[in-house]
């Protein structure tokens, strides 16, 4: 524990992260016992500030948590009306028919939503039940009592930007203690990462796998807008360079969400995921849709893709990992919000039972048992082999073998058993000398945009008078190791232009970290081949401020 003197506040349950998992846990705790004291700490400037709108929501989680949500004013209105799948080539596309797909791939009954607005609404529900929610409160440290997690440090400001030590205007923040601490930080959360390492929670499980998801919100010509239409594509422009694909969702107000996912186990260090996304929008099918429209927001985040095999142990003394802190995304469905909500509900029920029995600070084994043996486990088991098949054998094998495996799993068995994931995404990166550089077209400023211009549409802001939240374990590695071996891929895999190698005449190249640009996607923490970059929470409410739309 830090030696800095801090005020302390005691709660029954402390929740880090106001996403769907954390808010579901808070709501369920208060449903079970209105007298429980529950606090939710959110690092964004407001609830939803770090969630770029645009998702297809399976309402099963919300149905379980708030069965009357339809009459409660939830911002969930747009039912999926049309579901399209395409395989793209450079100049055309082939429609993949829906009928041979397993039933679980059907979006009937699902909704196109702004998850930012759903979370804002859920926060209102939680506050109405008596939950305390504090936005702009980054949680920088775990608090331990012996071997158990006893709380977190939140709201620290004023560390010196050069040394990281407390400066003249230092505000130490507060220690918020709980009988139990829930970490619902999203993918690769910094506190969750510490817990997984300290308690060796990944032992016996496959390494977590990730994708980088980039998204733009566009307002398009009303004549081209088809409310409730969902389109997914695979193939071009990635081809054999990387796994991944796209999604296009038509929401209200003539808006479409354009998303592009690149699996981070790609080998070619010259690959530039952001430019693959920009190139994708020049496909004739997409370009025709966007022509005459305008981009109104941009953002990016990592996606957990390991699924069933990669979920670590979820509990340790005093602490539980929720939602994407564990990795509960159903990759072929591109859906995880429903499982996040179910995990929050399950954690709350386990904590309530423990507190009612007079317990505190132990492992919530009932929570883990429910996740693995209940609806979340059933959802993820059915698709557990799709990602390993894709990684090992490519897109076509994944479509055929993965599709067959999803069908047989629907019937209760698998021809493949449970396939394992291989090396980590960082270790998958190949040497630069073994791959040809990729020549990307220059953005045209109409359909495609340079990275820094687009970052402005994430409304990202960090106080420059604070220590950089992106840390190098060894400052020499980017130039001494990553540049000669891998052409320093941080210059390309970051979707916000945070990392640069600056070469000036007569001077040695130097590695520059523009942390002010960071959109909190965590890709650098995941993909750096030397595992030398550590993402930590910035002071205050730094990061993106995605629009409320």
């Amino acid at each position: 524990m830090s030696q800095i003197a801090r005020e302390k506040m005691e709660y029954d349950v402390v929740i880090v992260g106001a996403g769907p998992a954390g808010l579901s846990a808070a709501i369920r705790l208060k449903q079970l016992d209105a007298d429980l004291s529950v606090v939710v700490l959110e690092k964004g400037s407001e609830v939803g500030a770090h969630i770029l709108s645009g998702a297809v929501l399976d309402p099963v989680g919300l149905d379980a948590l708030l069965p009357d949500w339809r009459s409660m004013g939830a911002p969930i209105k747009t039912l999926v009306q049309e579901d399209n799948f395409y395989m793209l080539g450079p100049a055309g596309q082939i429609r993949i028919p829906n009928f041979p797909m397993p039933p679980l791939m059907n979006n009937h009954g699902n909704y196109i939503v702004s998850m930012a607005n759903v979370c804002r609404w859920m926060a209102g529900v939680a506050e109405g039940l008596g939950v305390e929610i504090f936005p702009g409160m980054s949680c920088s440290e775990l608090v331990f009592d012996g071997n158990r997690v006893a709380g977190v440090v939140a709201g620290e400001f004023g560390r010196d930007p050069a040394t990281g030590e407390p400066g003249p205007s230092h505000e130490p923040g507060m220690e918020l203690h709980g009988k139990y601490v829930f970490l619902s930080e999203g993918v690769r959360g910094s506190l969750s990462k510490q817990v997984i390492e300290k308690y060796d929670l990944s032992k016996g499980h496959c390494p977590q796998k990730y994708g980088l998801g980039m998204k733009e919100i566009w307002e398009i010509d009303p004549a081209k807008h088809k409310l409730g239409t969902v389109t997914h594509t695979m193939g071009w422009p990635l081809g054999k360079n990387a796994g991944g694909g796209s999604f296009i969702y038509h929401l209200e107000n003539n808006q479409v969400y354009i998303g592009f996912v690149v699996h981070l186990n790609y080998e070619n260090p010259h690959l530039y995921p952001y430019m693959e996304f920009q190139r994708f929008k020049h496909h004739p099918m997409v370009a025709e849709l966007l022509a005459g429209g305008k981009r109104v927001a941009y953002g990016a985040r990592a996606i957990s893709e390991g699924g069933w095999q990669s979920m670590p142990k979820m509990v340790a003394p005093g602490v539980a990992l929720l939602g994407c802190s564990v990795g509960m995304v159903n990759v072929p469905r591109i859906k995880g919000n429903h499982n996040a909500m179910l995990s929050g509900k399950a954690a709350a029920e386990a904590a309530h039972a423990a507190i009612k029995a007079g317990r505190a600070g132990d492992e919530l084994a009932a929570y883990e048992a429910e996740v693995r043996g209940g609806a979340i486990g059933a959802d993820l088991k059915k698709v557990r082999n799709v990602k390993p098949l894709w990684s090992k054998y490519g897109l076509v094998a994944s479509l055929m073998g993965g599709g067959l495996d999803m069908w047989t799993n629907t019937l209760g068995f698998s021809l493949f058993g449970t396939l394992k994931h291989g090396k980590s995404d960082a270790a998958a990166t190949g040497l630069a000398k073994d791959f040809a550089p990729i020549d990307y077209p220059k953005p045209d400023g109409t359909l495609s945009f340079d990275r820094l211009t687009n970052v402005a549409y994430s409304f990202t802001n960090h106080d420059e008078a604070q220590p950089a939240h992106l840390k190098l374990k060894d400052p020499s590695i980017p130039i001494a190791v990553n540049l000669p071996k891998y052409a320093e891929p941080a210059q390309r895999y970051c979707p916000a232009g945070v990392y640069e190698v600056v070469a000036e005449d007569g001077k040695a190249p130097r590695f520059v970290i523009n942390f002010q640009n960071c959109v909190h996607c965590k890709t650098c923490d995941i993909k750096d081949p030397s595992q030398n970059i550590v993402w930590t929470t910035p002071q205050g409410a730094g990061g993106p401020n995605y629009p409320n739309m």
Side-chain angles (χ1 to χ4, degrees), residues 273-290:
Y274 174 84
M275 290 306 298
E276 296 286 351
F277 175 31
Q278 298 307 302
R279 182 160 62 170
F280 158 75
K281 290 182 291 174
H282 286 273
H283 187 277
M285 182 181 78
V286 184
E288 193 279 330
L289 174 69
L290 299 181

Side-chain angles (χ1 to χ4, degrees), residues 472 474-485 488 491 500-502 508-512 532:
L472 299 178
D474 182 343
S476 71
I477 282 179
I479 300 302
V481 178
N482 284 359
L483 186 59
K485 290 183 67 175
E488 186 43 272
Q491 302 174 90
E500 291 182 273
V501 173
V502 177
R510 55 192 176 90
F511 190 63
V512 176
N532 187 51

